[in-house]
Amino acid sequence: MTTVFAPGRVNLIGEHTDYTGGLVLPMALELGITFSGRADPERLHVVSDGHDDLDVALPLPDRTSAIAAIEPSWGRYLVAVARRLGVSPGIDGKISSTLPAGGTGLSSSTALTCAALLLLGGTGPPLELAKLARQAEIDATGVQIGLMDQAACLASRRDHALLMDCEAVTVSHVAVPESIEVLVVHSGQSRRLADSAYNDRQAACAAVEERIGPLRRATMADVDRLDDPNLRKRARHVVTENDRVMAMVEALGADDPETAGAILTAGHASLADDYEVSTPIVDRMVAALAATDGVYGARMTGGGFGGSLVALCRPGTEPPVDTWWTRARPGAGARIIEA
Ligand code: GLA
């Protein structure tokens, strides 16, 4: 029997920047997905708490279009990983999760994908595994995601956020001081990225880059040259968000919670007004959190359109919400627990 654990993640800052080679600063959670399994000669059979069982006879389907027909839909990630790894695995397994269920913006799908990758024998440097996991997720959903979530899941280090340069595909580890507590709060609004305007935002960034070149190197003067007001707003978010990532790295290094919180709140305004990926409910919750004594700042986290919020606060602060929430320290990356 092999058992692996893969964490979910919360992104501190650097939202909707990964797919234009920008900067991101997520951290792995201590919550995630545990996947245990043993070899089975005939089937991929996996049971999962609170979900229908996956039961597929070998050989597994080999075309991306066939993956889309697999039910229950969570099984598509497993089959897509097997296909990308080039293995046709028989597994009798069990999955359990400590992440809140479905559509949370905390990368439960990525945790599932990365857990499958380790269980099915994927080996290599974490960022190489992350690239493979990303391709498998794209195969499973058709959403043209970036590399942030898979890197956070596989390359994180305990007590540190992960600073990734998505152009160079390099990472470094940034200590999160204990004076700053991270709160993760679910909005109560579930969503699937596949049903969202995620691909539309990515297309807008591609249109911007056709006009002014790579967003990673664009200046505000370049952004101001864009005639189309919508493209100008999307570009302004990305350019200012990359700056906010570096400002956050500095604030964490200086153990400066007020500045770190102000960066989150500014990041939310940019996502809500310029990138337009927030919702009225999330905006109201961010405002209520930011107005709470002890909270330094708050914003939506992840792809948006619902999902979760992240706040930085004085240790022990209670969020004024009646939805699921947790205090979070940065966790370690995905690992084999029992070989
Ligand atoms: C989702 C994607 C990531 C990233 C975020 C937005 O989580 O999987 O690649 O683009 O949205 O920052």
Side-chain angles (χ1 to χ4, degrees), residues 7-11 29 31 99-100 103-111 149 184-186 191 301-303 307-309 324 326:
R9 66 96 187 93
V10 64
N11 188 17
L29 297 171
L31 307 175
L99 288 163
T104 58
L106 301 177
S107 289
S108 51
S109 304
T110 296
D149 302 342
V184 181
V185 176
H186 192 243
R191 60 100 187 93
T301 186
S308 294
L309 287 73
W324 177 95
T326 187

Side-chain angles (χ1 to χ4, degrees), residues 9 11 14-16 18-19 145-149 193 198 302-303:
R9 66 96 187 93
N11 188 17
E15 213 68 85
H16 286 282
D18 59 352
Y19 47 83
I145 49 170
L147 191 60
M148 169 172 73
D149 302 342
L193 277 189
Y198 187 96

Side-chain angles (χ1 to χ4, degrees), residues 6 25 105 315-316:
L25 190 68

Side-chain angles (χ1 to χ4, degrees), residues 316-334:
T317 305
E318 297 263 330
V321 298
D322 53 14
T323 50
W324 177 95
W325 67 275
T326 187
R327 302 182 197 285
R329 280 297 296 165

Side-chain angles (χ1 to χ4, degrees), residues 30-51:
E30 285 166 327
L31 307 175
I33 288 186
T34 303
F35 191 175
S36 303
R38 58 167 50 91
D40 180 308
E42 285 168 10
R43 322 191 65 75
L44 176 61
H45 175 243
V46 186
V47 299
S48 168
D49 292 351
H51 296 279

